[in-house]
Amino acid sequence: MDTVGTASIHFSAVAGRSSLADIARLAGVSLATASRAMSNSYGVAPATRARVLRIAEELDYVVSPEASRLARGAVGRVALVVPHVDRWFFGAVIGGLEAELSDAGLDVLLYHVGDADDRRDFFHRLPARRKVDAVVVVAFEVADAERERLERMGVLVVAAGGQDEVYPGVRIDDREAGRRAVDHLLFLGHRRIGMISAVDPDQPVAARPHGRDQAYHDALRDAGLPIDDELVVTIEWSGVAAADAMAALLSLRSPPTAVYCHSDELALGAIRTIRRAGLRVPEDLSVIGVDDHPLAELTDLTTVAQPARDQGVRAAHLLLARLRGQGSPQHVVLPTRLVIRRSTAPPREV
Amino acid sequence: MDTVGTASIHFSAVAGRSSLADIARLAGVSLATASRAMSNSYGVAPATRARVLRIAEELDYVVSPEASRLARGAVGRVALVVPHVDRWFFGAVIGGLEAELSDAGLDVLLYHVGDADDRRDFFHRLPARRKVDAVVVVAFEVADAERERLERMGVLVVAAGGQDEVYPGVRIDDREAGRRAVDHLLFLGHRRIGMISAVDPDQPVAARPHGRDQAYHDALRDAGLPIDDELVVTIEWSGVAAADAMAALLSLRSPPTAVYCHSDELALGAIRTIRRAGLRVPEDLSVIGVDDHPLAELTDLTTVAQPARDQGVRAAHLLLARLRGQGSPQHVVLPTRLVIRRSTAPPREV
DNA sequence: CTGTTAGCGCGTTCAT
DNA sequence: ATGAACGCGCTAACAG
């Protein structure tokens, strides 16, 4: 697909003039000793070590990662596979991962695998092969066929965010999160509750029922309420689509008095439609989201908060522990919590 | 399912366990030929090449990047230095960069340099040294001292987003963007216009006057309007802080009839305060932002749009051109445009 | 077109 | 404590 462009690129080698050999010569020691000094190995006289380090410092010397890794066999890098980079949640998880990983001295390679083409390409070519010690799938549903390909990389795989059950990882309980949202609406007295449900068209694993969907059904059933299919609209993951979905709900003979949205972004889309219809939130209609996106605070949106950055941080810890051969929990489930703002209220008296 | 097929092969089926030597032996050719075949070099008989590739495929062979790069002298990697990963604009730029760079066969290393500590550490240790062919600073103001450190890496540096003037790069004209915003408010008839101005406390280069600030002064001056310092509030880059700033503006003896915010996020903060005060947007007060954040569309916010992802894409192109030794423009300035929605209107008749 | 032979820069046994 | 030498896996001359 890009072979032509790629083949013609010639990278100019540069940087780091000096090599370990230079350092060794200048320090008057052998290459072996210089190497040991640089890597803090045992068996080097403090004095010699100091001398070597000083020379290296002066020469602005840096060990060649390629050579070092070639000789050593390890790589010291981990790949992050992400379906989105421009959505808050993903960015936050990536941020958490990056912080911990780079703190541990690992380099972070970023692989953005967005649409179906990207996916096919990524799992077919496995561009990260031989380049990393581990890969983290960020809120990414790995299909069975893809999983098989991933195996061939022969490296540790960890999941951060998302609902993956196969790889060790960190996540929230989507069912619990959704339940908190719907239960809150029920508690406020709503009996006719709509749901705007989102699926990612590029995530092939849509088969498995989504926890946030189940929560809706669970909550209504437990409240002894009937499920009205009209009240559920399933769309792709986009605020604009949610705005349209809300319009559909408002076109019902008997519209809902409250709407549960799978995410804050969707909730904002829904609110736009409600306002354009001349109705007020929450007086005329309540809306609740999930995520606690930073802008939810600014838009006074009631939501169920999930720790985003923290999922990345914890996933990194889990990854590091396993890389070191230490034991670590298979799955870490982080808590969610209801954040009440001003987009929800009891239903209007009829 | 294709690995162990050839009975005569005794190598383990584990990915990446075989070397070029194995391939060469099995294909009955020399190492050199195998290498040429793998790298698509000229001078290999189609038949031999095919044979080599088939064997490689069967063995699930992947060239060792370390060895290859060590021998070749280049690295095929570029570092992205970013101050934020969880803000839309940065994510979008990163997305654009990643797409083009990985298409060109380059790996992308991510370095999140957030607060002052991160910066000091990054520029002191230069963890990307010898690991990359180039570094991209994403909307990042590089201080002079830092610039000097960066030089020592001896690699190409490119800027994406931000207002860097030193490195070749891609950006928008902040002054123009701001001008569009303020001019629009003036055109609507506003004469008392406030500004919520943001600075990043972790960006040490706050000294240089910000283009979005200048635009405000330029526009008012050109309109023959006086500058009232009371109407300008400078805060850190946060929606919550903007909400407070808006409160300050509303506490004035003579509040503005319209507010120009340096970003959409700030605008949303301002709007929250306005609404909480029982006032309506835009009937009582107009608000305009800059960016065209995806949520601006959902919140019906009038704003000046800037191409985010595209700045990344173009910066990548510029980078690739230079890596190839081709000429390329020093600075690319992308256009901005006013997007009128429902947060601005003519001032109320007094 | 293909094979031989040097390195690339460093880690790591072995000796000493 | 230190040094010599080999090997990591591959690419790039240079022959043939």
Side-chain angles (χ1 to χ4, degrees), chain A residues 2 62 107 129 131 152 276, chain B residues 15 62 103 107 129 300:
Chain A
D2 60 287
V62 186
D107 282 317
R129 263 186 182 216
K131 294 180 187 166
R152 309 179 72 120
R276 285 190 179 176
Chain B
V62 186
D103 251 28
D107 281 318
R129 267 186 173 216
D300 265 336

Side-chain angles (χ1 to χ4, degrees), chain A residues 83-162:
Chain A
H84 305 283
V85 283
D86 53 355
R87 301 236 262 243
W88 167 76
F89 176 73
F90 298 86
V93 177
I94 293 172
L97 282 162
E98 198 278 345
E100 302 303 307
L101 260 20
S102 67
D103 254 26
L106 292 172
D107 282 317
V108 176
L109 277 174
L110 186 66
Y111 291 95
H112 177 9
V113 178
D115 56 31
D117 282 347
D118 278 1
R119 290 184 85 112
R120 198 169 319 111
D121 185 64
F122 180 83
F123 288 102
H124 176 65
R125 288 189 18 243
L126 291 180
R129 263 186 182 216
R130 296 270 240 147
K131 294 180 187 166
V132 298
D133 293 318
V135 3
V136 182
V137 289
V138 179
F140 196 99
E141 298 280 341
V142 181
D144 289 340
E146 296 172 340
R147 197 183 313 284
E148 198 183 314
R149 292 293 301 168
L150 223 42
E151 301 291 324
R152 309 179 72 120
M153 284 184 62
V155 301
L156 175 61
V157 179
V158 165

Side-chain angles (χ1 to χ4, degrees), chain A:
Chain A
M1 68 195 292
D2 60 287
T3 337
V4 189
T6 309
S8 59
I9 299 183
H10 292 210
F11 309 103
S12 48
V14 255
R17 295 242 132 310
S18 37
S19 71
L20 226 206
D22 301 328
I23 308 296
R25 196 179 322 121
L26 285 171
V29 298
S30 78
L31 218 118
T33 301
S35 171
R36 285 192 275 253
M38 292 301 298
S39 55
N40 259 316
S41 285
Y42 296 95
V44 181
T48 15
R49 211 240 299 285
R51 185 151 35 92
V52 172
L53 289 182
R54 197 175 49 72
I55 305 263
E57 175 67 36
E58 275 176 12
L59 281 196
D60 206 35
Y61 167 77
V62 186
V63 172
S64 156
E66 321 300 334
S68 170
R69 285 161 180 166
L70 213 213
R72 193 192 327 243
V75 297
R77 242 173 269 142
V78 5
L80 264 39
V81 180
V82 304
H84 305 283
V85 283
D86 53 355
R87 301 236 262 243
W88 167 76
F89 176 73
F90 298 86
V93 177
I94 293 172
L97 282 162
E98 198 278 345
E100 302 303 307
L101 260 20
S102 67
D103 254 26
L106 292 172
D107 282 317
V108 176
L109 277 174
L110 186 66
Y111 291 95
H112 177 9
V113 178
D115 56 31
D117 282 347
D118 278 1
R119 290 184 85 112
R120 198 169 319 111
D121 185 64
F122 180 83
F123 288 102
H124 176 65
R125 288 189 18 243
L126 291 180
R129 263 186 182 216
R130 296 270 240 147
K131 294 180 187 166
V132 298
D133 293 318
V135 3
V136 182
V137 289
V138 179
F140 196 99
E141 298 280 341
V142 181
D144 289 340
E146 296 172 340
R147 197 183 313 284
E148 198 183 314
R149 292 293 301 168
L150 223 42
E151 301 291 324
R152 309 179 72 120
M153 284 184 62
V155 301
L156 175 61
V157 179
V158 165
Q163 294 294 304
D164 190 285
E165 298 280 354
V166 177
Y167 298 118
V170 181
R171 53 192 162 87
I172 61 164
D173 182 338
D174 265 346
R175 204 158 169 177
E176 173 200 84
R179 193 61 197 255
R180 287 188 203 288
V182 182
D183 278 346
H184 179 59
L185 296 177
L186 287 167
F187 168 75
L188 287 175
H190 292 278
R191 287 297 171 268
R192 198 156 169 76
I193 300 174
M195 168 164 77
I196 296 182
S197 168
V199 297
D200 192 328
D202 290 318
Q203 294 280 12
V205 207
R208 188 161 53 64
H210 196 89
R212 297 188 191 179
D213 267 325
Q214 296 181 353
Y216 176 79
H217 293 97
D218 294 350
L220 261 50
R221 186 199 53 227
D222 288 0
L225 259 32
I227 298 277
D228 183 344
D229 287 337
E230 274 192 337
L231 291 179
V232 176
V233 187
T234 299
I235 56 172
E236 66 175 10
W237 208 271
S238 124
V240 176
D244 294 341
M246 189 67 227
L249 289 177
L250 287 182
S251 75
L252 258 35
R253 211 170 317 116
S254 168
T257 64
V259 180
Y260 154 56
C261 302
H262 277 199
S263 84
D264 291 343
E265 195 181 349
L266 304 183
L268 291 178
I271 289 177
R272 183 179 75 172
T273 296
I274 296 172
R275 293 221 170 104
R276 285 190 179 176
L279 298 170
R280 289 160 309 159
V281 174
E283 292 82 353
D284 299 313
L285 215 50
S286 286
V287 176
I288 192 167
V290 175
D291 274 356
D292 200 23
H293 187 293
L295 293 187
E297 180 180 3
L298 299 180
T299 49
D300 266 337
L301 182 70
T302 295
T303 188
V304 174
Q306 71 165 313
R309 180 183 175 83
D310 217 38
Q311 287 182 67
V313 169
R314 302 290 294 273
H317 291 167
L318 196 154
L319 170 44
L320 292 171
R322 294 195 168 227
L323 233 35
R324 297 192 188 103
Q326 305 172 356
S328 80
Q330 178 72 5
H331 291 299
V332 177
V333 177
L334 262 29
T336 57
R337 67 176 213 287
L338 176 66
V339 177
I340 299 180
R341 298 208 180 87
R342 306 190 183 193
S343 67
T344 48
R348 209 171 31 190
E349 299 297 334
V350 189

Side-chain angles (χ1 to χ4, degrees), chain B residues 88-89 212 237 262-264 289-293 303-306:
Chain B
W88 167 75
F89 176 74
R212 297 187 192 179
W237 208 270
H262 276 199
S263 84
D264 291 343
V290 176
D291 274 355
D292 199 24
H293 188 293
T303 188
V304 175
Q306 72 164 313

Side-chain angles (χ1 to χ4, degrees), chain B residues 230-310:
Chain B
E230 274 192 337
L231 291 178
V232 176
V233 187
T234 299
I235 56 171
E236 66 175 8
W237 208 270
S238 123
V240 176
D244 294 340
M246 188 67 228
L249 289 176
L250 287 182
S251 75
L252 257 33
R253 211 171 318 113
S254 169
T257 63
V259 181
Y260 154 57
C261 301
H262 276 199
S263 84
D264 291 343
E265 195 181 349
L266 304 184
L268 291 178
I271 289 177
R272 183 180 73 172
T273 296
I274 295 172
R275 293 221 171 107
R276 286 191 179 175
L279 299 170
R280 290 160 308 160
V281 174
E283 291 83 352
D284 300 312
L285 215 49
S286 285
V287 176
I288 192 168
V290 176
D291 274 355
D292 199 24
H293 188 293
L295 294 187
E297 180 179 3
L298 299 181
T299 49
D300 265 336
L301 182 69
T302 296
T303 188
V304 175
Q306 72 164 313
R309 181 185 174 82
D310 217 38

Side-chain angles (χ1 to χ4, degrees), chain B residues 59-119:
Chain B
L59 279 196
D60 205 33
Y61 167 76
V62 186
V63 172
S64 157
E66 321 299 336
S68 168
R69 284 161 179 167
L70 176 56
R72 190 188 335 235
V75 297
R77 243 173 268 142
V78 4
L80 264 38
V81 180
V82 303
H84 304 283
V85 282
D86 52 358
R87 300 237 263 244
W88 167 75
F89 176 74
F90 298 85
V93 177
I94 293 172
L97 282 162
E98 199 277 344
E100 301 304 306
L101 260 20
S102 68
D103 251 28
L106 292 171
D107 281 318
V108 176
L109 276 174
L110 186 66
Y111 291 95
H112 177 10
V113 178
D115 57 32
D117 282 348
D118 278 2
R119 292 183 84 110

